[in-house]
Amino acid sequence: MASSVAGAGMEGLAPDDSVRAATGRDWAEWSAWLDARGAADLSHPRIVALLRAEGGVQSGWWRQQVTTGYERRIGRRVVGEAAGGFQIGVRRTLPVAPEEAWRRVTSAEGVAAWLGEPEQSIAWEPGSAFRLRDGATGEVRVCRPGFMIRLHLREPGATRATVIQVRVDAAKTGTTVSFHQEQLPSAEAREQQRGRFSAAAETIAALA
């Protein structure tokens, strides 16, 4: 089964120059290389293993990226779908210092916008559990003050938790605030969270 080499379905994937710099091949070259080895008939883990054993891709992150990109090209995955479910990322650059962006992200208004309203203030420390007023529960897994939060969130009735990561990074024109969520159950949930994070970015930008 031959893959499409043109740029169809490339939304959210790394550009060709980044892929070539990190892996030695661009998307078209990886498509041809994988096609020649029958990768269209292999499972996701077997493609990842092939990239390591024969493709020389040392980075686990890049093996996943190349595999997911290839699967998108052959029609196996839709935009935003990864091995563990669907994922979404939204970012916004604010004309403020990183310290101010962090304050806004972790303020009561900011948290309510990107996560939901907690029953009590969240302690931003690893292992800190919390509950939202809509019944969702979660746990802070990583917190690097001023830089990054990573947490697990289980919606009411969900069979497993999703993973949310928020980052605050200095940029040339201010500070970039990034939201990323993975292990979402469906494309519909992905679009819902895209809207939520986009609205949250607007809210955070408007905070004083």
Side-chain angles (χ1 to χ4, degrees):
M1 179 178 181
S3 62
S4 169
V5 177
M10 296 302 292
E11 177 190 344
L13 294 179
D16 269 331
D17 55 353
S18 296
V19 178
R20 178 183 287 280
T23 69
R25 293 180 174 88
D26 62 21
W27 286 116
E29 290 168 334
W30 275 123
S31 289
W33 189 89
L34 288 163
D35 280 344
R37 287 157 180 79
D41 297 320
L42 299 180
S43 67
H44 183 94
R46 289 186 65 188
I47 297 174
V48 172
L50 179 66
L51 290 169
R52 180 175 185 177
E54 299 182 27
V57 183
Q58 300 302 312
S59 165
W61 188 88
W62 276 107
R63 289 195 296 271
Q64 291 289 339
Q65 288 291 299
V66 172
T67 300
T68 298
Y70 178 73
E71 290 176 318
R72 292 246 305 264
R73 284 169 178 265
I74 64 175
R76 188 181 297 176
R77 294 178 186 272
V78 300
V79 174
E81 187 179 8
F86 288 80
Q87 58 185 334
I88 183 63
V90 172
R91 64 177 56 189
R92 171 78 179 267
T93 299
L94 310 179
V96 299
E99 295 81 3
E100 172 61 15
W102 179 261
R103 184 192 70 78
R104 296 185 187 188
V105 165
T106 56
S107 69
E109 297 89 344
V111 171
W114 64 264
L115 180 61
E117 187 175 354
E119 292 184 345
Q120 297 179 335
S121 296
I122 299 174
W124 296 113
E125 299 175 353
S128 177
F130 60 87
R131 184 180 182 88
L132 304 182
R133 294 194 182 278
D134 66 1
T137 57
E139 180 181 317
V140 178
R141 292 302 182 91
V142 179
C143 183
R144 297 172 60 186
F147 176 60
M148 186 263 283
I149 296 167
R150 185 175 178 87
L151 58 83
H152 285 195
L153 181 70
R154 186 186 294 271
E155 301 287 352
T159 58
R160 66 174 182 173
T162 63
V163 180
I164 297 177
Q165 181 167 291
V166 185
R167 289 176 58 100
V168 172
D169 295 291
K172 290 182 179 180
T173 57
T175 303
T176 298
V177 176
S178 304
F179 302 97
H180 184 267
Q181 188 169 11
E182 52 192 71
Q183 298 180 5
L184 289 163
S186 66
E188 291 76 13
R190 178 180 186 267
E191 290 308 305
Q192 179 179 348
Q193 288 305 97
R194 182 204 296 276
R196 177 172 203 145
F197 290 142
S198 296
E202 293 293 332
T203 297
I204 290 169
L207 291 176

